[in-house]
Short mmCIF file of all heavy atoms in Angstrom, two decimals:
data_model
loop_
_atom_site.label_atom_id
_atom_site.label_comp_id
_atom_site.label_asym_id
_atom_site.label_seq_id
_atom_site.Cartn_x
_atom_site.Cartn_y
_atom_site.Cartn_z
N ALA O 62 100.69 101.62 44.86
CA ALA O 62 101.51 100.57 45.46
C ALA O 62 101.63 99.30 44.62
O ALA O 62 102.63 98.58 44.71
CB ALA O 62 100.96 100.23 46.85
N TYR O 63 100.64 98.98 43.80
CA TYR O 63 100.70 97.78 42.96
C TYR O 63 101.41 98.02 41.64
O TYR O 63 101.45 97.14 40.77
CB TYR O 63 99.31 97.22 42.71
CG TYR O 63 98.64 96.72 43.97
CD1 TYR O 63 97.46 97.29 44.41
CD2 TYR O 63 99.20 95.69 44.72
CE1 TYR O 63 96.85 96.85 45.57
CE2 TYR O 63 98.60 95.24 45.88
CZ TYR O 63 97.42 95.82 46.31
OH TYR O 63 96.83 95.38 47.45
N GLY O 64 101.94 99.22 41.44
CA GLY O 64 102.71 99.51 40.24
C GLY O 64 101.87 99.88 39.03
O GLY O 64 102.37 99.87 37.91
N ILE O 65 100.60 100.24 39.25
CA ILE O 65 99.76 100.70 38.15
C ILE O 65 99.41 102.17 38.38
O ILE O 65 99.54 102.68 39.50
CB ILE O 65 98.47 99.85 38.00
CG1 ILE O 65 97.62 99.90 39.27
CG2 ILE O 65 98.83 98.41 37.62
CD1 ILE O 65 96.28 99.17 39.16
N VAL O 66 98.99 102.84 37.31
CA VAL O 66 98.66 104.27 37.42
C VAL O 66 97.56 104.45 38.46
O VAL O 66 96.54 103.75 38.44
CB VAL O 66 98.24 104.84 36.05
CG1 VAL O 66 97.74 106.28 36.20
CG2 VAL O 66 99.40 104.79 35.06
N HIS O 67 97.78 105.38 39.36
CA HIS O 67 96.83 105.70 40.43
C HIS O 67 95.56 106.31 39.84
O HIS O 67 95.63 107.13 38.92
CB HIS O 67 97.50 106.70 41.38
CG HIS O 67 96.76 106.91 42.65
ND1 HIS O 67 95.60 107.64 42.73
CD2 HIS O 67 97.03 106.47 43.91
CE1 HIS O 67 95.18 107.66 43.98
NE2 HIS O 67 96.02 106.95 44.71
N GLY O 68 94.41 105.91 40.35
CA GLY O 68 93.14 106.45 39.87
C GLY O 68 93.04 107.96 40.00
O GLY O 68 92.38 108.62 39.19
N GLY O 69 93.71 108.51 40.99
CA GLY O 69 93.71 109.96 41.15
C GLY O 69 94.38 110.68 40.00
O GLY O 69 94.03 111.83 39.68
N VAL O 70 95.35 110.02 39.37
CA VAL O 70 96.00 110.60 38.19
C VAL O 70 94.97 110.72 37.07
O VAL O 70 94.83 111.77 36.44
CB VAL O 70 97.23 109.78 37.75
CG1 VAL O 70 97.77 110.28 36.42
CG2 VAL O 70 98.30 109.83 38.83
N TYR O 71 94.24 109.62 36.84
CA TYR O 71 93.22 109.66 35.79
C TYR O 71 92.19 110.76 36.07
O TYR O 71 91.85 111.55 35.19
CB TYR O 71 92.50 108.32 35.67
CG TYR O 71 93.36 107.18 35.20
CD1 TYR O 71 93.35 105.97 35.88
CD2 TYR O 71 94.17 107.29 34.07
CE1 TYR O 71 94.11 104.90 35.43
CE2 TYR O 71 94.94 106.23 33.63
CZ TYR O 71 94.91 105.02 34.32
OH TYR O 71 95.66 103.98 33.88
N ALA O 72 91.68 110.80 37.30
CA ALA O 72 90.66 111.80 37.66
C ALA O 72 91.21 113.21 37.52
O ALA O 72 90.53 114.11 37.04
CB ALA O 72 90.15 111.55 39.08
N GLY O 73 92.46 113.40 37.93
CA GLY O 73 93.07 114.72 37.84
C GLY O 73 93.32 115.17 36.41
O GLY O 73 93.12 116.34 36.06
N VAL O 74 93.76 114.24 35.57
CA VAL O 74 93.99 114.58 34.16
C VAL O 74 92.67 114.91 33.49
O VAL O 74 92.56 115.91 32.76
CB VAL O 74 94.72 113.43 33.43
CG1 VAL O 74 94.71 113.65 31.92
CG2 VAL O 74 96.16 113.31 33.94
N ILE O 75 91.64 114.11 33.75
CA ILE O 75 90.33 114.37 33.16
C ILE O 75 89.80 115.73 33.61
O ILE O 75 89.31 116.52 32.81
CB ILE O 75 89.36 113.22 33.46
CG1 ILE O 75 89.73 112.03 32.56
CG2 ILE O 75 87.90 113.63 33.30
CD1 ILE O 75 89.00 110.74 32.86
N GLU O 76 89.94 116.03 34.89
CA GLU O 76 89.47 117.34 35.36
C GLU O 76 90.30 118.47 34.77
O GLU O 76 89.76 119.52 34.42
CB GLU O 76 89.50 117.42 36.89
CG GLU O 76 88.94 118.73 37.38
CD GLU O 76 88.26 118.64 38.71
OE1 GLU O 76 87.98 117.55 39.20
OE2 GLU O 76 87.98 119.72 39.27
N SER O 77 91.59 118.27 34.62
CA SER O 77 92.45 119.32 34.06
C SER O 77 92.10 119.65 32.62
O SER O 77 91.96 120.82 32.26
CB SER O 77 93.93 118.91 34.17
OG SER O 77 94.31 118.83 35.53
N VAL O 78 91.95 118.63 31.77
CA VAL O 78 91.66 118.92 30.36
C VAL O 78 90.26 119.51 30.21
O VAL O 78 90.05 120.42 29.39
CB VAL O 78 91.88 117.70 29.44
CG1 VAL O 78 93.36 117.34 29.37
CG2 VAL O 78 91.05 116.49 29.83
N ALA O 79 89.30 119.02 31.00
CA ALA O 79 87.94 119.58 30.94
C ALA O 79 87.93 121.02 31.44
O ALA O 79 87.27 121.89 30.85
CB ALA O 79 86.98 118.72 31.77
N SER O 80 88.66 121.29 32.51
CA SER O 80 88.70 122.64 33.08
C SER O 80 89.32 123.65 32.12
O SER O 80 88.84 124.78 32.00
CB SER O 80 89.48 122.65 34.40
OG SER O 80 88.81 121.90 35.38
N VAL O 81 90.38 123.26 31.44
CA VAL O 81 91.01 124.17 30.48
C VAL O 81 90.04 124.49 29.36
O VAL O 81 89.85 125.65 28.98
CB VAL O 81 92.34 123.59 29.95
CG1 VAL O 81 92.82 124.37 28.73
CG2 VAL O 81 93.40 123.62 31.05
N GLY O 82 89.39 123.48 28.80
CA GLY O 82 88.43 123.73 27.72
C GLY O 82 87.28 124.61 28.17
O GLY O 82 86.90 125.56 27.47
N ALA O 83 86.74 124.32 29.34
CA ALA O 83 85.62 125.12 29.85
C ALA O 83 86.05 126.55 30.13
O ALA O 83 85.30 127.50 29.87
CB ALA O 83 85.06 124.47 31.13
N ALA O 84 87.26 126.73 30.64
CA ALA O 84 87.75 128.09 30.93
C ALA O 84 87.93 128.88 29.64
O ALA O 84 87.59 130.07 29.57
CB ALA O 84 89.07 128.03 31.68
N LEU O 85 88.44 128.22 28.60
CA LEU O 85 88.62 128.92 27.33
C LEU O 85 87.28 129.30 26.72
O LEU O 85 87.15 130.36 26.11
CB LEU O 85 89.44 128.06 26.37
CG LEU O 85 90.91 127.87 26.79
CD1 LEU O 85 91.59 126.85 25.89
CD2 LEU O 85 91.66 129.18 26.82
N TRP O 86 86.26 128.47 26.90
CA TRP O 86 84.92 128.80 26.42
C TRP O 86 84.33 129.96 27.23
O TRP O 86 83.74 130.89 26.68
CB TRP O 86 84.02 127.58 26.50
CG TRP O 86 82.61 127.86 26.10
CD1 TRP O 86 81.55 128.14 26.93
CD2 TRP O 86 82.10 127.94 24.77
NE1 TRP O 86 80.42 128.36 26.20
CE2 TRP O 86 80.73 128.25 24.87
CE3 TRP O 86 82.66 127.76 23.52
CZ2 TRP O 86 79.91 128.38 23.75
CZ3 TRP O 86 81.85 127.90 22.41
CH2 TRP O 86 80.50 128.21 22.53
N ALA O 87 84.49 129.93 28.55
CA ALA O 87 83.90 130.93 29.44
C ALA O 87 84.52 132.32 29.27
O ALA O 87 83.89 133.32 29.63
CB ALA O 87 84.02 130.49 30.90
N ARG O 88 85.72 132.40 28.71
CA ARG O 88 86.37 133.71 28.52
C ARG O 88 85.50 134.65 27.71
O ARG O 88 85.51 135.85 27.92
CB ARG O 88 87.71 133.56 27.78
CG ARG O 88 88.77 132.88 28.54
CD ARG O 88 90.07 132.80 27.78
NE ARG O 88 89.89 132.53 26.37
CZ ARG O 88 90.78 132.84 25.44
NH1 ARG O 88 91.89 133.45 25.76
NH2 ARG O 88 90.56 132.56 24.17
N ARG O 89 84.73 134.10 26.77
CA ARG O 89 83.89 134.96 25.92
C ARG O 89 82.86 135.72 26.73
O ARG O 89 82.33 136.72 26.27
CB ARG O 89 83.25 134.14 24.81
CG ARG O 89 82.19 133.17 25.28
CD ARG O 89 81.77 132.18 24.21
NE ARG O 89 82.91 131.35 23.87
CZ ARG O 89 83.24 131.00 22.63
NH1 ARG O 89 82.49 131.32 21.63
NH2 ARG O 89 84.31 130.28 22.41
N TYR O 90 82.55 135.23 27.92
CA TYR O 90 81.59 135.89 28.80
C TYR O 90 82.29 136.60 29.96
O TYR O 90 81.65 137.03 30.91
CB TYR O 90 80.59 134.87 29.36
CG TYR O 90 79.86 134.12 28.28
CD1 TYR O 90 80.07 132.76 28.10
CD2 TYR O 90 78.97 134.78 27.42
CE1 TYR O 90 79.40 132.07 27.09
CE2 TYR O 90 78.31 134.09 26.42
CZ TYR O 90 78.53 132.73 26.27
OH TYR O 90 77.88 132.05 25.27
N ASN O 91 83.63 136.67 29.89
CA ASN O 91 84.43 137.30 30.93
C ASN O 91 84.23 136.58 32.27
O ASN O 91 84.14 137.20 33.32
CB ASN O 91 84.09 138.79 31.04
CG ASN O 91 85.31 139.60 31.40
OD1 ASN O 91 86.44 139.17 31.18
ND2 ASN O 91 85.08 140.77 31.96
N GLN O 92 84.13 135.25 32.20
CA GLN O 92 83.91 134.42 33.38
C GLN O 92 85.07 133.46 33.56
O GLN O 92 85.90 133.26 32.68
CB GLN O 92 82.62 133.60 33.21
CG GLN O 92 81.36 134.42 33.18
CD GLN O 92 80.15 133.56 32.88
OE1 GLN O 92 80.19 132.67 32.03
NE2 GLN O 92 79.06 133.82 33.59
N THR O 93 85.08 132.84 34.74
CA THR O 93 85.99 131.75 35.04
C THR O 93 85.14 130.54 35.41
O THR O 93 83.93 130.68 35.57
CB THR O 93 86.97 132.13 36.16
OG1 THR O 93 87.95 131.11 36.29
CG2 THR O 93 86.26 132.34 37.48
N VAL O 94 85.74 129.38 35.53
CA VAL O 94 84.99 128.17 35.86
C VAL O 94 85.65 127.42 37.00
O VAL O 94 86.86 127.53 37.21
CB VAL O 94 84.85 127.22 34.64
CG1 VAL O 94 84.07 127.89 33.52
CG2 VAL O 94 86.19 126.73 34.15
N VAL O 95 84.83 126.66 37.70
CA VAL O 95 85.34 125.72 38.71
C VAL O 95 84.55 124.43 38.58
O VAL O 95 83.36 124.44 38.29
CB VAL O 95 85.25 126.26 40.15
CG1 VAL O 95 86.18 127.43 40.35
CG2 VAL O 95 83.84 126.63 40.52
N GLY O 96 85.23 123.32 38.79
CA GLY O 96 84.58 122.02 38.74
C GLY O 96 83.73 121.80 39.98
O GLY O 96 84.13 122.16 41.08
N VAL O 97 82.57 121.19 39.78
CA VAL O 97 81.70 120.85 40.91
C VAL O 97 81.42 119.35 40.97
O VAL O 97 80.89 118.87 41.97
CB VAL O 97 80.38 121.65 40.90
CG1 VAL O 97 80.65 123.12 41.14
CG2 VAL O 97 79.60 121.44 39.63
N GLU O 98 81.78 118.62 39.91
CA GLU O 98 81.55 117.18 39.91
C GLU O 98 82.50 116.53 38.91
O GLU O 98 82.68 117.03 37.80
CB GLU O 98 80.11 116.88 39.51
CG GLU O 98 79.74 115.42 39.55
CD GLU O 98 78.27 115.19 39.22
OE1 GLU O 98 77.65 116.05 38.57
OE2 GLU O 98 77.77 114.13 39.60
N ASN O 99 83.11 115.43 39.33
CA ASN O 99 84.02 114.68 38.47
C ASN O 99 83.68 113.21 38.65
O ASN O 99 83.82 112.67 39.73
CB ASN O 99 85.47 114.96 38.87
CG ASN O 99 86.48 114.19 38.01
OD1 ASN O 99 86.20 113.15 37.45
ND2 ASN O 99 87.68 114.72 37.95
N GLN O 100 83.20 112.58 37.60
CA GLN O 100 82.91 111.15 37.62
C GLN O 100 83.89 110.47 36.67
O GLN O 100 83.80 110.65 35.45
CB GLN O 100 81.48 110.87 37.17
CG GLN O 100 80.44 111.49 38.06
CD GLN O 100 79.04 111.28 37.51
OE1 GLN O 100 78.83 110.98 36.35
NE2 GLN O 100 78.06 111.45 38.38
N THR O 101 84.83 109.73 37.22
CA THR O 101 85.87 109.09 36.42
C THR O 101 85.84 107.59 36.64
O THR O 101 85.78 107.12 37.78
CB THR O 101 87.26 109.65 36.80
OG1 THR O 101 87.28 111.06 36.53
CG2 THR O 101 88.36 108.99 36.00
N SER O 102 85.88 106.86 35.54
CA SER O 102 85.93 105.39 35.59
C SER O 102 87.32 104.92 35.14
O SER O 102 87.90 105.46 34.20
CB SER O 102 84.88 104.79 34.65
OG SER O 102 83.59 105.14 35.07
N PHE O 103 87.82 103.90 35.80
CA PHE O 103 89.12 103.31 35.48
C PHE O 103 88.84 102.00 34.77
O PHE O 103 88.24 101.09 35.32
CB PHE O 103 89.93 103.08 36.76
CG PHE O 103 89.84 104.22 37.75
CD1 PHE O 103 89.50 103.98 39.06
CD2 PHE O 103 90.05 105.52 37.35
CE1 PHE O 103 89.40 105.02 39.98
CE2 PHE O 103 89.95 106.58 38.26
CZ PHE O 103 89.63 106.32 39.57
N LEU O 104 89.27 101.90 33.51
CA LEU O 104 88.86 100.79 32.67
C LEU O 104 89.95 99.74 32.42
O LEU O 104 89.67 98.55 32.40
CB LEU O 104 88.35 101.33 31.33
CG LEU O 104 87.22 102.36 31.44
CD1 LEU O 104 86.92 102.96 30.08
CD2 LEU O 104 85.99 101.74 32.06
N VAL O 105 91.18 100.18 32.19
CA VAL O 105 92.28 99.27 31.89
C VAL O 105 93.49 99.68 32.73
O VAL O 105 93.92 100.84 32.67
CB VAL O 105 92.65 99.31 30.38
CG1 VAL O 105 93.87 98.44 30.08
CG2 VAL O 105 91.47 98.90 29.52
N ALA O 106 94.04 98.74 33.50
CA ALA O 106 95.22 99.03 34.31
C ALA O 106 96.41 99.32 33.41
O ALA O 106 96.60 98.67 32.38
CB ALA O 106 95.52 97.87 35.24
N THR O 107 97.20 100.31 33.79
CA THR O 107 98.35 100.73 32.99
C THR O 107 99.57 100.84 33.90
O THR O 107 99.49 101.39 35.00
CB THR O 107 98.07 102.10 32.34
OG1 THR O 107 96.89 101.99 31.56
CG2 THR O 107 99.22 102.54 31.46
N ARG O 108 100.71 100.35 33.43
CA ARG O 108 101.95 100.41 34.20
C ARG O 108 102.99 101.36 33.60
O ARG O 108 103.85 101.87 34.29
CB ARG O 108 102.59 99.03 34.31
CG ARG O 108 101.76 98.05 35.09
CD ARG O 108 102.49 96.73 35.30
NE ARG O 108 101.63 95.80 36.01
CZ ARG O 108 101.49 95.77 37.34
NH1 ARG O 108 102.17 96.61 38.08
NH2 ARG O 108 100.69 94.90 37.90
N GLU O 109 102.90 101.58 32.29
CA GLU O 109 103.92 102.39 31.62
C GLU O 109 103.38 102.92 30.30
O GLU O 109 102.28 102.57 29.87
CB GLU O 109 105.17 101.54 31.35
CG GLU O 109 104.90 100.36 30.44
CD GLU O 109 106.11 99.42 30.32
OE1 GLU O 109 107.09 99.60 31.05
OE2 GLU O 109 106.04 98.52 29.46
N GLY O 110 104.17 103.77 29.67
CA GLY O 110 103.82 104.28 28.36
C GLY O 110 103.30 105.70 28.38
O GLY O 110 103.27 106.37 29.40
N ARG O 111 102.89 106.15 27.21
CA ARG O 111 102.35 107.50 27.04
C ARG O 111 100.83 107.41 27.03
O ARG O 111 100.25 106.58 26.35
CB ARG O 111 102.86 108.11 25.74
CG ARG O 111 102.40 109.55 25.54
CD ARG O 111 103.21 110.28 24.48
NE ARG O 111 104.63 110.33 24.74
CZ ARG O 111 105.24 111.17 25.61
NH1 ARG O 111 104.52 112.02 26.31
NH2 ARG O 111 106.54 111.16 25.76
N LEU O 112 100.20 108.29 27.80
CA LEU O 112 98.75 108.38 27.85
C LEU O 112 98.30 109.69 27.22
O LEU O 112 98.94 110.73 27.42
CB LEU O 112 98.25 108.32 29.30
CG LEU O 112 98.61 107.04 30.07
CD1 LEU O 112 98.15 107.16 31.52
CD2 LEU O 112 98.00 105.82 29.40
N THR O 113 97.23 109.65 26.47
CA THR O 113 96.69 110.84 25.81
C THR O 113 95.26 111.05 26.28
O THR O 113 94.45 110.13 26.25
CB THR O 113 96.71 110.67 24.27
OG1 THR O 113 98.05 110.41 23.86
CG2 THR O 113 96.19 111.94 23.58
N ALA O 114 94.97 112.27 26.72
CA ALA O 114 93.64 112.63 27.20
C ALA O 114 93.01 113.63 26.24
O ALA O 114 93.67 114.58 25.81
CB ALA O 114 93.73 113.26 28.59
N THR O 115 91.75 113.41 25.92
CA THR O 115 91.01 114.31 25.05
C THR O 115 89.68 114.66 25.71
O THR O 115 88.97 113.76 26.16
CB THR O 115 90.75 113.67 23.68
OG1 THR O 115 92.01 113.32 23.10
CG2 THR O 115 90.00 114.62 22.76
N ALA O 116 89.37 115.95 25.78
CA ALA O 116 88.11 116.42 26.36
C ALA O 116 87.31 117.16 25.31
O ALA O 116 87.85 117.96 24.54
CB ALA O 116 88.38 117.36 27.54
#
Side-chain angles (χ1 to χ4, degrees):
Y63 295 119
I65 60 176
V66 174
H67 191 286
V70 172
Y71 294 132
V74 168
I75 285 172
E76 183 149 348
S77 295
V78 293
S80 294
V81 167
L85 292 172
W86 177 263
R88 292 181 321 156
R89 69 191 64 222
Y90 303 113
N91 215 22
Q92 293 174 318
T93 188
V94 297
V95 293
V97 294
E98 183 177 22
N99 180 334
Q100 298 176 342
T101 299
S102 296
F103 318 128
L104 305 172
V105 176
T107 303
R108 295 186 182 277
E109 62 187 8
R111 183 163 302 282
L112 300 176
T113 303
T115 302

